Amino acid sequence: RLSRDLGLNPYTRPESAPQLRYTHIEQTVTPGSPVSLKCTAVGVPAPVITWTRDHRPLLPSHSTSVGSSRTPLGEVVSLVNLSSVTTREGGSYTCTAHNAHGSVA
């Protein structure tokens, strides 16, 4: 217990603002094609990733799914899957990772 109180426990990590480790690339797609966008982030506490399209929250629908998971190494991985893209889904997609210490997009 003493080592934890002194901050010497090797299994604890200091709290930190999120950092993006991977973000999706700019893509041009053909209507009707499926598209998958990926974003990964780290931070302590684990960041929450949210998505927007043209600065509006991206909500799941019949053709859009959004999900996140956490790897054993502490990375948060978030995916957006569009099953069949139409021109209505076009725009600028942004992933934002946030926790109590800040945010990054």
Side-chain angles (χ1 to χ4, degrees):
R1 177 154 174 99
L2 181 59
S3 65
R4 180 175 293 145
D5 292 342
L6 295 175
L8 301 175
N9 187 334
Y11 300 107
T12 61
R13 294 183 293 172
E15 294 198 352
S16 62
Q19 296 177 347
L20 294 177
R21 292 287 173 98
Y22 177 88
T23 58
H24 57 283
I25 59 170
E26 186 172 329
Q27 301 178 50
T28 302
V29 296
T30 306
S33 299
V35 175
S36 183
L37 306 174
K38 178 180 176 181
C39 182
T40 65
V42 294
V44 178
V48 173
I49 295 178
T50 57
W51 289 86
T52 58
R53 181 179 67 226
D54 296 330
H55 308 288
R56 293 188 178 137
L58 185 63
L59 302 174
S61 69
H62 68 281
S63 64
T64 304
S65 65
V66 181
S68 293
S69 63
R70 192 167 171 192
T71 70
L73 297 176
E75 279 189 329
V76 176
V77 179
S78 183
L79 294 170
V80 170
N81 291 304
L82 304 160
S83 61
S84 182
V85 176
T86 67
T87 55
R88 293 176 63 193
E89 281 91 25
S92 178
Y93 288 75
T94 303
C95 70
T96 302
H98 56 92
N99 68 11
H101 300 285
S103 66
V104 62

